[in-house]
Amino acid sequence: MAGDPLYEAYHDTDWGVPEYDPRALWEKLVLDGFQAGLAWITILRKREAFRAAFDNFDPEIVARYGEAERARLMADAGIVRSNAKIDAAISGARIYLDMQGRGEDFSKFLWDFVGGAPIQNSWAGFGDVPAQTPEAVEMAKALKAKGFKFVGPVIVYAFMQAVGMVNDHTTDCFRHEPIRAMRRP
């Protein structure tokens, strides 16, 4: 959304930067799930309110949410109030912790779908960028098999773009080459 300072700052500093922290990846997956049916700018404008409402997306805390927390979240006008999406976030925290408890690293699980390194695309224009890819379809299937919700291939591909699993900055974008040059820390 050219012209929106918040969106431009997000594009210029966050979008497409490879993220490997498991908790940060889970947060972004939850936020992308909340985006379903909405514009990303809606979620971006509410991101800090989401962080406050969901205890900074600490999966240990969110996994323990019960009816009182659900009611609190449904009453919070600062976030997207959807029973299904709130339930998906809570159950997603439980799944995340279950994976962790079984020794399965959430970051490695996700990054394995792209071979552990960002896919470097060279799209000439925004119209060339697909809404989903075979990797997104496979990741979506695997997430659904684990019980995650709001993880269809289009949502998952938006997630993959946002967390730098794919470099979908177009070749004429000033961020394309700096993102391409980023390596795993």
Side-chain angles (χ1 to χ4, degrees), residues 10 24-40 42-44 46 50 54 57 79-92 106 140 143-144 148-160 162-163:
Y10 172 72
L25 288 166
W26 178 70
E27 173 184 339
K28 183 65 175 85
L29 188 64
V30 171
L31 290 174
D32 274 322
F34 270 98
Q35 180 195 349
L38 304 169
W40 175 245
T42 301
I43 303 304
L44 192 57
K46 295 176 177 277
F50 270 107
F54 280 91
F57 290 98
I79 66 169
V80 173
R81 295 177 287 184
S82 160
N83 280 316
K85 292 176 182 181
I86 289 168
D87 289 345
I90 296 166
S91 69
F106 192 64
L143 286 164
K144 286 179 184 178
F148 287 96
K149 306 285 187 223
F150 293 96
V151 290
V154 173
I155 289 172
V156 166
Y157 194 63
F159 164 78
M160 292 171 73
V163 299

Side-chain angles (χ1 to χ4, degrees), residues 66-83:
E67 287 306 312
E69 289 84 4
R70 283 186 77 258
R72 174 185 56 81
L73 292 167
M74 282 301 294
D76 189 338
I79 66 169
V80 173
R81 295 177 287 184
S82 160
N83 280 316

Side-chain angles (χ1 to χ4, degrees), residues 51-109:
R51 286 177 174 158
F54 280 91
D55 291 289
N56 205 32
F57 290 98
D58 181 332
E60 301 254 350
I61 297 172
V62 175
R64 292 192 305 264
Y65 283 2
E67 287 306 312
E69 289 84 4
R70 283 186 77 258
R72 174 185 56 81
L73 292 167
M74 282 301 294
D76 189 338
I79 66 169
V80 173
R81 295 177 287 184
S82 160
N83 280 316
K85 292 176 182 181
I86 289 168
D87 289 345
I90 296 166
S91 69
R94 294 172 182 153
I95 296 164
Y96 173 96
L97 292 176
D98 181 61
M99 290 174 68
Q100 189 178 60
R102 288 183 285 108
E104 190 172 6
D105 182 83
F106 192 64
S107 181
K108 182 179 180 336
F109 166 76

Side-chain angles (χ1 to χ4, degrees), residues 108-128:
K108 182 179 180 336
F109 166 76
L110 295 171
W111 276 94
D112 279 352
F113 289 94
V114 295
I119 295 171
Q120 299 297 331
N121 291 318
S122 295
W123 309 116
F126 187 71
D128 299 329

Side-chain angles (χ1 to χ4, degrees), residues 4-11 41 44-47:
D4 185 302
L6 181 63
Y7 191 85
E8 287 180 3
Y10 172 72
H11 169 271
I41 191 63
L44 192 57
R45 288 181 180 137
K46 295 176 177 277
R47 184 165 58 171

